[in-house]
Amino acid sequence: MPNYPHQEHFVADVDPSAQDRAAAQTPAAPLSQWAVAWSYLRRRPLFWVSAALILLAVLVAAFPQLFSSGDPRACDLARSLAGPESGHPFGFDRQGCDIYARTVYGARASVTVGVLTTALVVLLGTLVGAVAGYFGGVADAVLSRLTDVFFAVPLVLAAIVVMQMFRDHRTILTVVLVLGIFGWTSIARITRGTVMSVKNEEYVTAARAMGQPGWRTLLTHIIPNSAAPIVVYATVALGTFIVAEATLSFLGIGLPSTVVSWGGDISAARSSLRTKPMVLFYPSAALALTVLSFIMMGDVVRDALDPKARKR
């Protein structure tokens, strides 16, 4: 552009609002599925309530001495079915044991069985379902039929039959193994279906084109992107396995009487139901509240990870 004598040049000032509009129109990086889920969860009161209850249950199970100074195995028949008193807010059961101390220490066995069984079930179910869904063919046929065989057997019924074989060796580990062996089928089916849908995604095809081994693609790409439904089911299943342990102990074929557990205390309190119903109430309430917290957490996590559930 030619310059003329005595001609002044002006440069327009930059409009700040125009810059803001341009920045607003610049597309931001998309959030991951877990980031979107966390953004949804932290705005849900149900999530914080269930998280607080779960944290309390875990703390009581891990550090019961912080919540009770009494000995759950110290019993005095002179205090049989006695009411609450200083240091014993729940009173005493028929054997003269402190109900509050037994309720606190009973969380350890029940929560431990639930956590360990869920970990074992997730490991077995994810492994079987991922291999069947990814490799297909003969592996899928064999593993799917194996899953159907175990799925056809009711969990509690199978546990009752198998636990009868270990009358002299009933420990927390025994209960975990028995429940884990018969409880992995649902997660295997969920994992298989999710893997079959994920393995056709473009990033999986790109990994194969780059020569990445199949097992590495399965571990680094497919399983992490199939974790959402597994996490949802595992959260709910943890409460289910706590109930299963309590059921076995209630029937007298779960944990031995030397182990303090909610199921065992509920079973022992049946004889006092008419004369002293509160003996049964406290361990039952602790069991129900713990299981309810995991069910509520599973519901809110499902809504966070499933956009269709949020729209319903």
Side-chain angles (χ1 to χ4, degrees), residues 6-302:
H6 310 294
Q7 183 180 16
E8 297 182 2
H9 297 275
F10 296 94
V11 178
D13 296 332
V14 178
D15 185 2
S17 61
Q19 287 184 327
D20 295 339
R21 289 195 298 269
Q25 294 174 357
T26 302
L31 296 176
S32 66
Q33 181 184 25
W34 299 103
V36 173
W38 170 244
S39 178
Y40 174 83
L41 287 174
R42 65 185 182 184
R43 299 193 305 268
R44 302 289 293 179
L46 185 62
F47 167 75
W48 294 110
V49 172
S50 58
L53 292 174
I54 291 174
L55 179 61
L56 177 61
V58 171
L59 289 176
V60 171
F63 308 102
Q65 64 276 7
L66 297 179
F67 299 87
S68 173
S69 58
D71 185 355
R73 296 182 179 86
C75 304
D76 184 2
L77 286 176
R79 292 178 166 177
S80 177
L81 299 179
E85 59 182 59
S86 178
H88 309 281
F90 293 170
F92 300 86
D93 62 10
R94 182 170 292 277
Q95 300 298 323
C97 305
D98 185 3
I99 297 177
Y100 175 74
R102 293 188 66 86
T103 302
V104 170
Y105 278 84
R108 172 172 289 178
S110 299
V111 174
T112 300
V113 169
V115 171
L116 294 181
T117 304
T118 302
L120 178 60
V121 162
V122 169
L123 180 63
L124 290 176
T126 301
L127 178 62
V128 172
V131 171
Y134 181 72
F135 292 102
V138 177
D140 184 21
V142 173
L143 293 177
S144 295
R145 299 294 76 76
L146 179 65
T147 302
D148 292 339
V149 170
F150 279 88
F151 189 79
V153 182
L155 174 63
V156 176
L157 178 60
I160 291 174
V161 174
V162 176
M163 288 299 296
Q164 293 285 0
M165 303 167 56
F166 298 96
R167 281 186 171 273
D168 299 328
H169 303 282
R170 291 181 297 165
T171 63
I172 290 179
L173 182 60
T174 306
V175 176
V176 169
L177 291 176
V178 171
L179 292 178
I181 289 174
F182 293 97
W184 56 270
T185 53
S186 295
I187 286 187
R189 285 186 163 193
I190 292 172
T191 305
R192 176 180 176 272
T194 308
V195 167
M196 291 181 67
S197 62
V198 170
K199 72 177 183 179
N200 296 320
E201 296 290 340
E202 294 180 356
Y203 54 85
V204 177
T205 304
R208 292 171 179 166
M210 295 174 63
Q212 192 175 73
W215 62 268
R216 188 173 179 182
T217 303
L218 182 64
L219 293 177
T220 58
H221 295 290
I222 296 179
I223 291 181
N225 287 281
S226 305
I230 299 174
V231 171
V232 173
Y233 180 83
T235 306
V236 178
L238 201 154
T240 303
F241 291 128
I242 292 177
V243 172
E245 180 277 323
T247 302
L248 294 177
S249 298
F250 177 83
L251 296 174
I253 56 176
L255 298 175
S257 58
T258 55
V259 178
V260 181
S261 68
W262 290 332
D265 286 354
I266 293 172
S267 178
R270 288 180 299 170
S271 59
S272 307
L273 181 59
R274 291 188 177 182
T275 58
K276 196 73 172 180
M278 299 306 291
V279 176
L280 178 66
F281 171 77
Y282 293 115
S284 301
L287 174 64
L289 196 60
T290 302
V291 174
L292 178 62
S293 63
F294 284 105
I295 292 176
M296 291 191 303
M297 178 63 75
D299 288 341
V300 72
V301 169
R302 179 201 59 199

